[in-house]
Amino acid sequence: MATYRVLYNPTSANGNGKAEAEKMLAAMSGDTLNFEDITAVGSYSDFFAGLGTERLVVCGGDGTLNRFINDTEGKGRPEEVWYFPAGTGNDFANDIGIKDTAVPVEIGRYLKNLPTVTVNGKKSLFLNGIGYGIDGYCCEVGDAMREAGKTDINYAGIAIKGLLFHFKPRNAKVTVDGKTTEYRKVWLAPAMNGRMYGGGMIPTPDQKRFADENGEKLLSVLVWNGSGKISTLANFPNIFKGEHLKKSKMCRVLTGKKIEVEFDGPCALQIDGDTVLGVTSYTAEV
C-alpha cells in the first residue's frame, strides 16, 4: 500500500476537476489518497519538503501541467511525479499513450530539460507546443465561450468557422537556427516539443520529446501557408491524423534548436492550451 498526495485542479474538465481526480479511488482502494487543491498551494518549496514518503500526483489537463512545471522549477520538485489526466484535451497524455488509465502514471522524465518559449519578453517552459495562427485564435474564442458559461466547446467547429469567416492569415518570417524564410498567407506556425496539441491535432508527426540517437534534441515548426480558404478547409481534418503533410505545397515541417516566428500583425498564441493575446512574435528553443 502506498500513500499519494493528489494535487487536483478544480477548474479542469470544465469545472469537474475534483470529481475527475476522485475517480482514482475506485481503482486504488488499497492505497491512501490525500486530495489537495493545487490552486491553494502557497510555497512549493515548503510543500515538497513536507511530502515525506508520499508520492506526488498532479491531476488536471495540459494547462495544469504547464503551470505546475513553471511554478515548481528550481523549487525542489521530486524526481518522481505521477500524473492522472483530467483535462478537456489531454494532449500530453494522448501523446505518451496514457489516456485510458484508471491510475496515475509516473512522468518525471518528461518534465526534465524542457524547452522554453519567450513571448512579450517573458520566458517560460512548455511541455507540448506553442500554437500560433488559427490554433491560437481557436483558444481565444474558446476562452471567451467558457467565460460566457458555455461548456460544450467544439474547437473543430471554431476552427472551421474561423477558416471560412473570421481568421485572417498573416505573412510571417520563420527563422530556424539563424536561417530566415518569409512566407505569405500563414494559417498555422506552431513550434512543437511533442507531436500533439489542440485536442488531438498532430501537426508534427515525427517530433521526438527526447534527444535522438546522436544526443541531439530538436524542436519542430509546422508552416501551413499559401492556401485558400477552401483548400485549407479541405485539408484541415487531416491534421488530426497527421496526414496534412501530404499536401506539401501548403504544409511543411522545419526542425532546429531555436525557432523564431514573427507575424506581420498581432494574433492570439497558446502555450500548452493557455492563451496569450495580441502576440506578434515568439521564440522557442532547447
Side-chain angles (χ1 to χ4, degrees):
M1 185 179 80
T3 301
Y4 295 83
R5 183 87 66 92
V6 181
L7 288 178
Y8 68 89
N9 184 350
T11 65
S12 292
N14 293 318
N16 296 306
K18 185 176 183 181
E20 289 295 312
E22 289 175 343
K23 288 181 178 179
M24 286 184 282
L25 290 168
M28 302 174 69
S29 58
D31 298 309
T32 300
L33 277 66
N34 299 315
F35 295 90
E36 189 168 338
D37 183 343
I38 195 171
T39 64
V41 176
S43 165
Y44 269 108
S45 297
D46 293 342
F47 175 83
F48 293 144
L51 280 176
T53 59
E54 289 178 290
R55 293 178 175 178
L56 174 63
V57 180
V58 178
C59 182
D62 298 307
T64 302
L65 275 178
N66 178 276
R67 288 187 291 276
F68 175 77
I69 60 177
N70 279 283
D71 290 346
T72 61
E73 185 70 4
K75 296 181 180 178
R77 185 173 67 219
E79 287 288 314
E80 285 192 0
V81 175
W82 299 71
Y83 177 56
F84 186 75
T88 52
N90 294 326
D91 289 300
F92 171 73
N94 290 336
D95 192 19
I96 68 171
I98 63 168
K99 178 182 178 182
D100 297 320
T101 179
V103 296
V105 176
E106 206 284 312
I107 61 165
R109 68 189 186 110
Y110 293 99
L111 308 185
K112 298 177 180 178
N113 303 315
L114 290 171
T116 64
V117 59
T118 302
V119 180
N120 297 335
K122 179 183 178 181
K123 179 180 286 190
S124 58
L125 302 169
F126 69 97
L127 188 64
N128 294 322
I130 311 303
Y132 197 37
I134 196 166
D135 44 0
Y137 162 83
C138 290
C139 286
E140 179 182 9
V141 174
D143 288 349
M145 294 173 65
R146 192 173 292 107
E147 289 179 6
K150 297 183 179 180
T151 58
D152 56 340
I153 300 171
N154 185 327
Y155 284 97
I158 295 172
I160 291 171
K161 291 179 180 178
L163 283 168
L164 289 175
F165 307 113
H166 306 298
F167 180 78
K168 306 298 181 186
R170 274 69 164 172
N171 298 325
K173 293 180 181 178
V174 179
T175 304
V176 179
D177 291 344
K179 182 180 179 180
T180 301
T181 305
E182 296 190 16
Y183 297 93
R184 296 187 61 80
K185 205 174 184 181
V186 175
W187 295 95
L188 286 170
M192 301 297 297
N193 179 52
R195 297 178 304 126
M196 304 178 71
Y197 78 158
M201 291 191 287
I202 313 174
T204 53
D206 296 324
Q207 172 62 23
K208 304 292 190 297
R209 287 185 176 270
F210 302 108
D212 61 20
E213 60 273 10
N214 299 315
E216 189 172 37
K217 166 62 181 176
L218 301 174
L219 299 175
S220 297
V221 56
L222 165 68
V223 181
W224 186 321
N225 82 297
S227 51
K229 291 182 178 182
I230 301 304
S231 56
T232 300
L233 183 60
N235 191 33
F236 190 75
N238 292 322
I239 200 171
F240 290 91
K241 299 176 288 184
E243 297 178 356
H244 55 295
L245 297 177
K246 293 179 180 179
K247 302 293 184 180
S248 57
K249 289 185 178 180
M250 68 175 76
C251 298
R252 79 276 310 146
V253 172
L254 310 173
T255 59
K257 292 182 175 297
K258 184 175 182 179
I259 294 168
E260 302 167 86
V261 178
E262 181 181 357
F263 277 6
D264 66 354
C267 182
L269 173 147
Q270 62 91 7
I271 304 173
D272 290 339
D274 282 350
T275 311
V276 184
L277 302 178
V279 177
T280 54
S281 66
Y282 75 84
T283 300
E285 54 190 321
V286 296

